[in-house]
Amino acid sequence: MNEISASAPGKFVILGEHAVVYGKPAAALAINRRFNLTVRRDSEFRINNEAADITANPHLRYISGKNDMLPVSVHMDSKIPTGSGLGSSAALSVAFSAAMRALNGRSTDEGEIAKEAFEAEYFSQGRGSPMDTSASAHGYGVALNAPENDGGRLWDITKNEYAWRVSMIDVPPMTFVIGCTGIKAATGPLVERVRKYKDSNRFASDIVDEIGQITLDGMTALRKNDVTVLGDLMTKDHKLLSILGVSSKELNKLVGASLPYAYGAKLTGAGGGGCMVALTDQPEKVCEAISSRGGSPFIVKTGVEGVRVSVKT
Ligand code: MEV
């Protein structure tokens, strides 16, 4: 019987989280932390050798439902911390979609996988953008709603009133350090908090527009390899996200500790806890500063490939 292996990377967001949910521009890079899994047919659903109710996990349930819902045994092994803004649930959805599509003889085109995985995320969270699943499926770097002539077009995704044009961005030869607070925060409620604030308050909706604008400026800086401008924009983005209420004192502490040694720093992903990212040419100093304030740092490797799938017979 066929066993399918699939693997997909996590990601961090350089600029534009939250605003991207409303169709604004954003940019994310895949990182060298992956979600690996295998699937094979079985007489009942199993996860890591234990009988499991697959419908209890909305991502697995949605993707199984798009396939044939026949029982499978899934083995999972992830190096992406969960609830940390590093795209763990997107990577799970991308890897599981790839494996199930291969098992069912469906296309394993990365765009098709990105779309199915986004629908699984949306089903689970009730909201969100296709940024994380697109970054995980394609790997390297992706931009959403960048200017038309910027980078190669990958795919378009629409949901309700929003549309996202996903394109590739060159992964810059820049050094980033990620610092994690160790506090887990679910994405859905944080997105919902921003939506309510934005819908009820003109000031908050202006902040969302401003995040979109600085993201466009950041894409230009990224293309020019201008770390000084890009870093300033990241720090500015962090302040705007803080005003939207998605930072935390732990995140602010790690951002503040890294800034003396970095071009810029910001929370990454949904916020509320999770991780921050710093752009720097002194990664060891940034790591020390983050550790000294109780965070867990790592120097991230970018330029990594997206979803991989292989069949063992
Ligand atoms: C993505 O990592 C974080 C949010 O922008 C939600 C989303 O885009 O789905 C907050």
Side-chain angles (χ1 to χ4, degrees):
M1 173 147 325
N2 287 347
E3 182 174 276
I4 316 282
S5 303
S7 153
K11 65 87 198 42
F12 72 89
V13 186
I14 305 185
L15 287 167
E17 54 271 269
H18 284 287
V20 69
V21 172
Y22 311 102
K24 307 284 177 207
L29 298 183
I31 60 172
N32 59 329
R33 298 258 173 149
R34 300 187 74 90
F35 203 111
N36 301 302
L37 56 77
T38 61
V39 298
R40 63 180 165 74
R41 291 274 176 235
D42 208 336
S43 53
E44 60 175 343
F45 281 113
R46 282 183 231 270
I47 295 179
N48 292 347
N49 294 327
E50 301 281 336
D53 174 12
I54 208 155
T55 61
N57 178 313
H59 297 89
L60 300 186
R61 173 179 161 193
Y62 180 88
I63 291 163
S64 293
K66 285 288 153 192
N67 287 279
D68 56 9
M69 213 56 201
L70 292 175
V72 285
S73 187
V74 190
H75 275 262
M76 305 185 189
D77 169 35
S78 175
K79 302 283 182 280
I80 311 168
T82 55
S84 300
L86 299 180
S88 140
S89 67
L92 159 67
S93 303
V94 166
F96 190 59
S97 169
M100 291 301 282
R101 293 174 73 94
L103 193 66
N104 284 276
R106 296 172 69 215
S107 151
T108 52
D109 171 75
E110 66 186 39
E112 295 303 310
I113 293 169
K115 287 176 192 167
E116 187 164 275
F118 165 57
E119 290 294 343
E121 286 262 87
Y122 205 95
F123 175 73
S124 165
Q125 288 169 195
R127 47 194 79 82
S129 82
M131 171 170 56
D132 294 12
T133 47
S134 292
S136 183
H138 178 66
Y140 309 102
V142 297
L144 280 83
N145 294 344
E148 288 272 10
N149 55 356
D150 245 27
R153 183 92 162 244
L154 286 171
W155 46 77
D156 292 351
I157 298 185
T158 54
K159 184 85 190 167
N160 304 327
E161 72 265 47
Y162 297 112
W164 298 271
R165 194 179 52 249
V166 183
S167 50
M168 332 180 185
I169 44 175
D170 285 338
V171 179
M174 297 174 179
T175 308
F176 294 95
V177 172
I178 296 215
C180 295
T181 61
I183 298 165
K184 290 187 193 296
T187 299
L190 287 153
V191 173
E192 184 55 14
R193 185 191 300 176
V194 172
R195 188 193 63 74
K196 279 202 183 125
Y197 190 25
K198 170 189 137 342
D199 287 353
S200 65
N201 187 309
R202 179 66 201 273
F203 170 69
S205 87
D206 287 348
I207 301 264
V208 168
D209 290 345
E210 199 178 337
I211 292 178
Q213 187 51 53
I214 69 171
T215 301
L216 286 179
D217 296 344
M219 285 174 182
T220 307
L222 200 59
R223 227 182 309 112
K224 291 189 186 153
N225 223 328
D226 189 336
V227 283
T228 309
V229 170
L230 181 59
D232 281 348
L233 291 167
M234 289 170 67
T235 307
K236 198 162 171 204
D237 191 20
H238 179 75
K239 290 183 182 142
L240 296 173
L241 289 163
S242 305
I243 298 170
L244 288 179
V246 294
S247 190
S248 68
K249 70 175 187 318
E250 292 80 8
L251 279 167
N252 292 343
K253 218 165 44 179
L254 302 189
V255 165
S258 56
L259 279 177
Y261 314 104
Y263 295 106
K266 60 181 278 290
L267 68 85
T268 188
C275 305
M276 46 69 67
V277 60
L279 170 61
T280 180
D281 57 9
Q282 301 178 74
E284 277 79 21
K285 285 231 156 71
V286 171
C287 286
E288 266 171 43
I290 289 172
S291 300
S292 74
R293 304 307 296 271
S296 309
F298 60 94
I299 300 171
V300 78
K301 187 170 169 294
T302 56
V304 304
E305 68 177 320
V307 62
R308 289 196 295 249
V309 55
S310 62
V311 182
K312 249 194 262 163
T313 43

